Amino acid sequence: MRRVAPRVRFAPSPTGYLHVGGARTALFNWLYARRHGGTFVLRIEDTDVERSSADMVTGILEGLRWLGLDWNEGPEVGGPHAPYFQSERLDRYRTAASQLLTAGHAYYCYCSADRLREEREKAEARGEAWRYDRACLSLSAEKVSELEAAGAPRAIRFKVRTGSTGFDDQVKGRIEFDTAHIEDFVILRSDLYPTYHLSVVVDDIDMAITDVIRGDDHISNTPKHVLLFEAFGATTPRFAHVPLILGADKKRLSKRHGATSVTEYRRQGYLAEAMVNFLALLGWSPGDDRELMSMNELVESFSLDGISGGNAVFNTEKLDWMNGQYIARLPVDQLAKAVEPFLGEAGLWPPLVSGIDQAWLHRLLDLLRPRAKRLTDFVDLARPFLVDTVEFDPEAIEKHLSTSGLAGHIAALKGTLDTAIPFDEPHVETAVRGSAAERGIKPGVLIHAVRVAVTGRTTSPGLFEVLALLGKARTIARLDRLLLFLATRS
RNA sequence: GCCGGUAUCGUCUAGGGGUUAGGACACAUGGUUCUCAACCAUGGAACCGGGGUUCGAAUCCCCGUACCGGUACCA
């Protein structure tokens, strides 16, 4: 019974590429917004100047667009709450910080980084936790002016109230914290840049965010945020913390696990639709047995209730299967469009041999697609069809080209093949089987040898389809080459 | 250490006081067949442990364990 349309946001930090975990968080936000007719805001949290970069922003936007996760407000599209880069909202955070200062919710801290670090180390040596000791909370006026005169750098800390705080998480349920465990955290650094806690809360207030859907790793930050919302006199949004995505070793996903950025998956030949479908099912379920779901189905079925509690291991085998399913179902013209760049990169497209056009490519792709898990698989699969001459695989030579009398059989087959009119699958099959019968050999002998002749390999799509697609001229040419090979070998 | 979270086949998950604990990937076997896939069928495979509550617990509660996250003038 929602009264207002929800406003959700995805707020990546451009200190790295868009990894699959972030992509899934974005997807959940996007689905939630779509499901409830809400607004999906994209906000760039680039307050860490040291580690943020414009290239990363570009990469993140690209990744989101590839996945089809468009944003209603944010970079490049603007919106009523612009700007959507935190680095352009610095004044706002400074104002907010001084607002808390005057309201008595915050205070200046002159403690040096060295002192803080030392205290922390000492405590750790004792096996204790150290929380900021509020040394600067009750500084005398004299001391303050002394420090100011000395030009001591000052940060602003939030004064954490006593008691407890909590929130009703949409995924985890009620979560309660004793504020005794929360230190007076810095909200404005001495360089006047806000920390994450300040900027995120200020922006969520300013941008009227109603639902914060983010990673599990933010749970322990949330009480700080709740405290801030409280201090600003703002309504806290609903929170939903989604479990993390882990590698096969159940550790947080990192480069060690291979590909982690969505761009990398695109490069490896995964379809965006498959990626989205797979990601959606990592940590979420529609509640029934559906697996293959379109964007529209996902939108219609999405609910925070379906998010599971535990972390999920990223299972590449299942992604591969799913990608294969999408490859199998993709309309052939779209498939061609998706495959061409990969063929092009391998120097196979546009093709160097004549007689190859779009229609022919479509037939080829239809032949190959049940054998492909990724778009990159098409390169290897399609190669024999797009080149002039094929290399004979050593294993194939040994397995299928050592039959005695093979040259004679092949020569005879050439003649029979001439009678295949038209040169289509059924006629080719009749010709090959007929030829085998005439020579008194099993069809398999001929089939396997011809397969090697035309593809160079032991495996390929059904031979008769292959020959029909290749056409009579190319087939005969390859048989001649086989004959030549056989002759020079003996 | 402290704070918080999570726990169903190897993996993703459904379910949830009484079920033969369901599906998917992967795996195995069989079918199809000219090979390889795809496809179809079949099979093996799970409720972390211990206490409670209850006629009955995988399900609710507590404890433990394991794992994950946080513990910054990073986000």
Side-chain angles (χ1 to χ4, degrees):
Chain A
M1 308 318 98
R2 189 149 281 109
R3 295 139 306 247
V4 290
R7 291 177 55 83
V8 298
R9 48 44 164 209
F10 175 56
S13 172
T15 54
Y17 42 68
L18 178 65
H19 58 93
V20 292
R24 192 197 51 171
T25 302
L27 173 62
F28 284 179
N29 274 284
W30 186 90
L31 288 172
Y32 188 79
R34 283 297 176 97
R35 176 73 184 85
H36 297 105
T39 304
F40 178 54
V41 178
L42 177 61
R43 182 174 75 219
I44 306 297
E45 310 219 326
D46 55 352
T47 54
D48 184 348
V49 238
E50 296 283 298
R51 301 194 298 145
S52 298
S53 89
D55 281 355
M56 291 302 181
V57 174
T58 311
I60 289 167
L61 301 192
E62 232 178 67
L64 291 173
R65 286 208 176 98
W66 177 60
L67 292 171
L69 307 182
D70 52 333
W71 48 100
N72 305 104
E73 296 176 24
E76 295 180 11
V77 306
H81 302 282
Y84 293 92
F85 285 84
Q86 292 192 329
S87 57
E88 295 171 23
R89 305 171 61 80
L90 265 18
D91 286 346
R92 176 69 188 100
Y93 309 128
R94 289 165 193 165
T95 308
S98 49
Q99 185 188 329
L100 290 181
L101 222 40
T102 43
H105 286 301
Y107 59 93
Y108 284 116
C109 173
Y110 300 88
C111 294
S112 69
D114 283 347
R115 186 205 152 224
L116 263 20
R117 186 174 37 76
E118 278 163 26
E119 291 291 349
R120 214 161 263 130
E121 280 167 6
K122 273 193 279 178
E124 198 181 333
R126 293 192 302 266
E128 287 168 19
W130 190 77
R131 258 163 268 111
Y132 181 63
D133 55 9
R134 296 192 152 176
C136 296
L137 179 56
S138 47
L139 249 30
S140 66
E142 298 78 58
K143 185 72 183 164
V144 168
S145 36
E146 190 182 307
L147 285 160
E148 289 287 343
R154 58 180 196 188
I156 297 177
R157 284 185 186 270
F158 182 73
K159 190 161 76 184
V160 175
R161 63 160 174 78
T162 55
S164 73
T165 184
F167 56 97
D168 293 301
D169 193 90
Q170 304 281 293
V171 173
K172 316 273 187 184
R174 181 75 192 170
I175 300 179
E176 207 89 40
F177 289 83
D178 186 337
T179 63
H181 298 292
I182 305 169
E183 72 172 355
D184 286 353
F185 51 97
V186 170
I187 53 175
L188 198 73
R189 302 189 273 221
S190 49
D191 63 3
L192 298 183
Y193 274 81
T195 62
Y196 165 70
H197 304 301
L198 210 223
S199 57
V200 79
V201 169
V202 167
D203 284 351
D204 284 344
I205 293 171
D206 287 355
M207 298 178 184
I209 300 303
T210 59
D211 295 80
V212 173
I213 304 168
R214 68 200 343 175
D216 228 345
D217 49 340
H218 284 294
I219 286 186
S220 41
N221 291 326
T222 307
K224 294 177 185 156
H225 301 172
V226 171
L227 255 17
L228 280 169
F229 279 107
E230 196 178 284
F232 282 120
T235 321
T236 56
R238 282 179 292 265
F239 292 99
H241 287 96
V242 321
L244 269 22
I245 297 178
L246 309 177
D249 57 359
K250 305 212 174 204
K251 296 273 185 254
R252 200 173 178 166
L253 221 47
S254 72
K255 302 103 239 149
R256 298 195 332 276
H257 298 98
T260 55
S261 86
V262 304
T263 313
E264 180 65 13
Y265 282 94
R266 169 162 61 165
R267 216 183 53 72
Q268 289 187 1
Y270 292 96
L271 293 167
E273 296 86 341
M275 201 68 207
V276 162
N277 194 160
F278 176 73
L279 250 22
L281 258 25
L282 260 193
W284 174 80
S285 155
D288 51 40
D289 287 340
R290 284 177 297 166
E291 297 268 353
L292 259 22
M293 298 176 75
S294 68
M295 262 296 196
N296 282 339
E297 288 176 291
L298 289 173
V299 168
E300 278 164 29
S301 315
F302 189 76
S303 157
L304 261 19
D305 302 336
I307 296 178
S308 45
N311 294 336
V313 172
F314 191 95
N315 182 203
T316 311
E317 285 83 43
K318 185 149 184 179
L319 206 214
D320 281 346
W321 167 78
M322 194 165 272
N323 203 52
Q325 295 294 315
Y326 275 86
I327 285 177
R329 289 165 173 71
L330 199 63
V332 74
D333 55 316
Q334 286 178 47
L335 181 63
K337 225 169 281 168
V339 169
E340 277 169 19
F342 290 96
L343 293 180
E345 210 179 319
L348 295 171
W349 196 263
L352 300 168
V353 281
S354 56
I356 293 179
D357 56 15
Q358 280 293 333
W360 193 89
L361 177 69
H362 289 181
R363 283 175 66 198
L364 175 62
L365 293 181
D366 278 333
L367 219 50
L368 302 179
R369 63 161 114 206
R371 292 160 180 80
K373 296 241 176 270
R374 310 175 186 183
L375 297 175
T376 48
D377 292 340
F378 284 102
V379 171
D380 197 48
L381 256 15
R383 177 168 277 116
F385 299 88
L386 300 175
V387 296
D388 219 4
T389 53
V390 296
E391 294 284 312
F392 296 159
D393 183 59
E395 186 203 337
I397 294 170
E398 193 191 340
K399 260 179 110 173
H400 301 302
L401 299 186
S402 42
T403 316
S404 63
L406 184 59
H409 300 321
I410 296 295
L413 173 66
K414 269 180 60 187
T416 321
L417 240 22
D418 250 343
T419 67
I421 301 169
F423 199 78
D424 61 10
E425 196 191 325
H427 288 89
V428 166
E429 173 158 12
T430 307
V432 173
R433 290 193 190 280
S435 186
E438 258 171 49
R439 308 283 299 181
I441 54 172
K442 285 191 283 186
V445 174
L446 225 38
I447 288 169
H448 292 307
V450 173
R451 169 171 290 113
V452 178
V454 299
T455 68
R457 304 171 188 176
T458 55
T459 66
S460 80
L463 186 73
F464 311 121
E465 298 168 282
V466 168
L467 297 187
L469 181 62
L470 233 31
K472 184 181 282 185
R474 294 178 79 193
T475 297
I476 298 296
R478 289 182 186 196
L479 289 182
D480 282 335
R481 241 198 109 237
L482 172 60
L483 254 15
L484 195 64
F485 173 83
L486 258 18
T488 55
R489 205 163 79 114
S490 49

